[in-house]
Amino acid sequence: MDQKKAEELIRRLAAALRGTELYSPSHPLVQRGIDAFTSAATERLQSSPSVVIGFIGDEVVVDGARLPRGTASLIGFARDLRDRGIEKVTLSRGLSRAEVGGLIAVFGDRTSRTPLPDRLAAKGVRNVTLGRIVVDEVSDEQAGIAAARRVYSAAVETAESLWNAAKAGDQPDPAAARKIIDGLARLVTQDRTSLMALTALKKYDNYTFTHMVNVSALAMAQARALNIEGPLLREFGFAALMHDIGKVQTPLEVLNKPDKLTNEEFGIMKRHVVEGAHILRRTPEMPALAPIVAFEHHLKQDLSGYPENIGSRKLNLCTMIVSIADVFDALRSNRPYRQGLATARIRSIMGEQGNPAFNQALLKRFVNLMGLFPVG
Ligand SMILES: [Fe+2]
Ligand SMILES: [Fe+2]
């Protein structure tokens, strides 16, 4: 209902009630007030089966829209009804003039001790109901998800600003990153279920940033299950968040290419591991783990990945955890070139016999942790 009409409806209701406080029910002024309100309400009920008028504090709400702070008389009217235990008046289609007369008479009688709804019923008024406003009760579970969602969304926003800073050649703000990590670390410890549910949302419009946050969350969940906590848990989360930061240097046509990369393009893409290590090494306050993980996260257990020909080395535990989180999140997400894969398919890809990409013991633990499939 447009706001003017809503205001007019309420004004007429208030006027009719005022009339009945001052004059006898048969007084022409009272009758005119009833006529005026009936016609406004009937007009409204032609286009909608009901009108809900609510009184919240000093505010009047009509069909969910709050009226602008009204005149003193309107505020007085809202307060008066609320003080009498009426927070909500619902008018239904079929409302007659006689019913409006009944409503006004019932409201006007301040001496009766019978509850207002009972008096309305006694007068045969069926198309007006009075009630209290029930604030939707939110279950603990929903409240948990809502709180987790706020942390998660803030983390995705911050991830974007870290990315943009690195892309502009500035140093990503470690304090902002630490704030994300603190929030996620708390969730990993206190409400892992909600956090894991949020990482499963398959969006691809902001994949770059959700991927950063998801890998951080999935890596910290694994680390936590290995009893890693406190500052080290946060370092893992930090390193995971920044694992792909070198991609700020990858040309967008390569980064977002919907088809298979050519050899040359793949060569360009591969550089992100070295460039990431570079960026992170020169960022003050960045944990030492971050450039290591950026450098190692595509190496694989047998070093058959990239960067190539780096001699022998043992991958950091954080790298092994991040690789699992990284591939899992990438396969599960919707990408421009394919839809996110089902968990059964991800399981068979990641768990392939002898897949050198992952540490098998950690992979089994991950699968267990996520409840993806029975561990063989
Ligand atoms: Fe990567
Ligand atoms: Fe990645």
Side-chain angles (χ1 to χ4, degrees):
M1 163 160 26
D2 81 52
Q3 194 185 301
K4 277 241 157 57
K5 288 203 166 157
E7 266 185 86
E8 180 62 20
L9 180 75
I10 299 306
R11 220 179 43 73
R12 289 185 184 188
L13 176 60
L17 281 172
R18 233 178 7 254
T20 196
E21 308 259 348
L22 299 171
Y23 306 102
S24 70
S26 57
H27 193 284
L29 237 156
V30 174
Q31 295 302 312
R32 241 182 288 155
I34 292 170
D35 284 337
F37 178 68
T38 305
S39 71
T42 312
E43 189 196 327
R44 168 63 189 161
L45 289 168
Q46 272 166 5
S47 57
S48 150
S50 65
V51 183
V52 179
I53 304 164
F55 306 97
I56 304 170
D58 292 341
E59 313 266 11
V60 182
V61 177
V62 179
D63 284 343
R66 201 176 65 191
L67 296 188
R69 285 247 160 191
T71 57
S73 68
L74 209 56
I75 293 175
F77 157 74
R79 263 190 217 163
D80 179 39
L81 288 188
R82 200 197 56 222
D83 290 348
R84 297 164 79 185
I86 301 163
E87 294 173 330
K88 189 166 78 171
V89 178
T90 307
L91 311 172
S92 305
R93 189 175 282 166
L95 180 72
S96 65
R97 186 189 182 283
E99 285 179 309
V100 172
L103 173 73
I104 300 299
V106 163
F107 274 166
D109 176 3
R110 290 174 182 269
T111 53
S112 170
R113 294 188 170 264
T114 314
L116 284 161
D118 294 349
R119 283 191 273 148
L120 270 189
K123 284 200 178 289
V125 178
R126 284 178 297 116
N127 290 308
V128 180
T129 49
L130 305 178
R132 294 194 165 271
I133 292 174
V134 181
V135 176
D136 286 345
E137 284 197 15
V138 179
S139 69
D140 284 356
E141 200 183 330
Q142 284 171 314
I145 284 265
R149 192 185 289 272
R150 278 194 294 277
V151 173
Y152 181 84
S153 308
V156 173
E157 262 175 46
T158 312
E160 181 168 4
S161 67
L162 292 170
W163 177 275
N164 289 337
K167 196 168 176 64
D170 299 335
Q171 283 163 350
D173 176 7
R178 205 168 311 116
K179 228 173 139 192
I180 296 190
I181 302 301
D182 282 344
L184 296 177
R186 221 175 311 121
L187 281 180
V188 159
T189 307
Q190 291 167 4
D191 188 6
R192 205 188 69 216
T193 316
S194 296
L195 181 60
M196 295 298 106
L198 290 167
T199 65
L201 299 175
K202 296 182 176 180
K203 295 188 207 132
Y204 70 73
D205 47 344
N206 56 354
Y207 169 76
T208 303
F209 318 119
T210 53
H211 180 64
M212 290 170 76
V213 173
N214 289 352
V215 173
S216 181
L218 292 165
M220 280 197 279
Q222 293 177 76
R224 192 67 201 77
L226 290 169
N227 277 327
I228 293 169
E229 53 188 0
L232 186 59
L233 178 68
R234 285 165 171 72
E235 274 193 35
F236 273 47
F238 222 129
L241 183 77
M242 306 305 278
H243 76 281
D244 269 338
I245 198 70
K247 286 188 181 171
V248 297
Q249 315 267 24
T250 311
L252 283 179
E253 58 273 23
V254 175
L255 200 58
N256 296 333
K257 188 176 175 186
D259 320 300
K260 207 172 178 305
L261 298 181
T262 63
N263 277 346
E264 193 194 345
E265 287 164 337
F266 192 47
I268 294 171
M269 169 69 99
K270 281 176 176 175
R271 290 187 207 150
H272 81 276
V273 293
V274 175
E275 272 152 3
H278 247 13
I279 293 172
L280 294 170
R281 225 176 277 124
R282 38 163 225 261
T283 305
E285 293 180 62
M286 197 50 70
L289 261 181
I292 297 174
V293 169
F295 185 79
E296 291 183 342
H297 77 276
H298 288 288
L299 261 179
K300 302 190 179 174
Q301 301 298 304
D302 58 359
L303 311 182
S304 64
Y306 60 90
E308 285 125 1
N309 308 318
I310 56 149
S312 75
R313 87 194 261 137
K314 184 150 175 13
L315 297 186
N316 191 288
L317 171 66
C318 183
T319 302
M320 298 194 252
I321 283 176
V322 167
S323 306
I324 292 171
D326 183 24
V327 174
F328 178 74
D329 186 62
L331 293 176
R332 193 173 50 171
S333 302
N334 289 334
R335 305 306 327 274
Y337 44 89
R338 61 148 172 76
Q339 290 292 102
L341 303 181
T343 42
R345 180 98 177 85
I346 299 177
R347 170 188 63 191
S348 72
I349 294 172
M350 291 182 72
E352 227 171 69
Q353 271 301 307
N355 186 342
F358 311 111
N359 174 298
Q360 292 304 308
L362 288 174
L363 181 61
K364 267 190 187 173
R365 279 174 162 272
F366 177 70
V367 159
N368 230 356
L369 180 74
M370 302 295 290
L372 293 184
F373 50 92
V375 185

